[in-house]
Amino acid sequence: MSMEKPARVRFAPSPTGHMHLGSARTALYDYLLARKTGGQFVLRIEDTDFKRYVPSAEEELMNGLRWLGLDWDEGPDKGGPYGPYRQSERKEIYLKYAEQLVESGQAYYCFCSPERLSKLREEQQKQKQPPLYDGLCREIPLAEARRRAAAGEKYTIRFKTPKSGVTTVRDALRGEITVENRTIDDYILVKSDGWALYHLAAMVDDYEMKITHVIRGSEWLPSLPLHALIIRAFGWPEPEWVHLSVFLKPSGKGKMSKRESAELIKDGHSIFVKDLEALGYLPEAVVNWVALMGWSYDDHTEIFSLSDLVEKFSLDKLNPSPAAINFTKFDYFNGYYIRSLSVPELAKRVKPFLTAAGYQVDDDRLEKIVPIIQERLNTLDDSVEMAGFFFKDEVVPAGEDLVAKGLTPAESAELAEQALEIIRSLPELTVHQAEQPLRALVERSGKTPQQVFGIIRVAVTGQRVSPPLFESMEIIGKEIVIKRMENAVAVLKKLS
Ligand code: GLU
């Protein structure tokens, strides 16, 4: 354990869509910092944007975190000392704090109608002025404001941003950031329906939940001075601010658009965690890959398990430069982790893919197959194409696939028959017993191994590409191999 103080960090997603790589990375860094320092990882659901709310999103987020192995200590499902952990259940808490700011003169009731505000914005646009609230309600005496509110007038609560001076905040990756206060708007903290907006809600929650480090996307960087001002208005301790770099598209040119993200799936890629699981990527690969999109340990180490990361992670190695999403790297990591799994473990991981493809999977057989496909899999899903034939009752090779390249159907039939005779004559169909006589057939026939073994491969597996032939035949078993060879001979004879 390090000497750092235990960190309390929170992952605070809005359940508005699919969990993507950016969220996975934020959650990962949260998790790493909490585990490394012996602190807590809090899951908070920021679900007060009712228009954009997607009912299935919270569960998807939790499933995504579990799949990645990022278990949290406190959250809506687990509870904890600072709950509730869903913002939709904390409305009164935010109101209480908003009132506290109103009381101390650092926030005020604003009665401006949406019509007035949009007119104001239009006017400012025309004059090429920044779209800031003009402060009309800023100086209404509190007693009067309360009277109007009590009489039923609609109001929002705005932050009373200082109009002079500067605000300086420190971001862990970028150092000090200073802005002039007059450029900061009197932002709305509470809407007219009584719901707090992010600017207030997140600050209140981070305070109440005793968060020590706020790790979030750099899209929040422009709001940072406002957030610091709000926290300072309350007189609360400030958390350490950590704004992570943005992700760029693979070309490195700009951010990925919605359409571009959706189109990735055509190439077997995605930026959505749920898709990556379905495509047959391993969580170990996702973790390793996203860990390095914004953090590095040194200039050469690339392979990091989750526990390596817990040990090695530190905030001072985070990098503020944008990171291009590199799927080639991702595929490399996935291959690496597929090859480093034990046979029983890999069997356990590919089984759901084979089952989903409709195969009845026998576990003993699968454990025999895994060693011969392990080297060849790029994703777990590749197992369906590569090994599905092992679980089929029958294979139905296309006639033209059975005809070896450069040979006639009659010549191919002849070779298939000879191979069949050899297989029949073996006491057992093992790699050991089959290899020598079948290679001798190649020699004798004067044909190439590709031609002879190609016919057998298509006959036995039903496909042109398969795992090593002799091993495959041994697993399929003599009886079925003979049946498939007989069928192939019959098909080829019909073509002759
Ligand atoms: N709900 C915000 C989001 O999803 C959270 C940002 C934060 O971590 O504070 O962008």
Side-chain angles (χ1 to χ4, degrees), residues 119-131:
K119 245 201 219 123
L120 177 65
R121 253 192 311 275
E122 260 169 47
E123 203 49 43
Q124 288 166 329
Q125 236 163 19
K126 255 192 243 152
Q127 313 281 332
K128 303 228 179 315
Q129 288 168 347

Side-chain angles (χ1 to χ4, degrees), residues 10 12-14 44 46 198 202 214-216 219-220:
R10 85 298 190 281
S14 302
R44 181 170 81 220
E46 304 207 324
Y198 173 80
V214 170
I215 304 180
R216 58 185 184 180
E219 68 272 20
W220 292 109

Side-chain angles (χ1 to χ4, degrees), residues 377-391:
L377 293 176
N378 293 317
T379 65
L380 299 176
D381 187 49
D382 286 347
S383 62
V384 173
E385 220 171 89
M386 221 171 266
F389 67 86
F390 284 110
F391 300 100

Side-chain angles (χ1 to χ4, degrees), residues 365-402:
R365 172 165 277 211
L366 184 55
E367 287 212 12
K368 291 198 187 109
I369 296 165
V370 161
I372 63 169
I373 61 171
Q374 186 160 21
E375 280 300 317
R376 293 172 172 74
L377 293 176
N378 293 317
T379 65
L380 299 176
D381 187 49
D382 286 347
S383 62
V384 173
E385 220 171 89
M386 221 171 266
F389 67 86
F390 284 110
F391 300 100
K392 284 182 184 160
D393 294 334
E394 276 175 42
V395 295
V396 194
E400 66 270 21
D401 285 352
L402 281 167

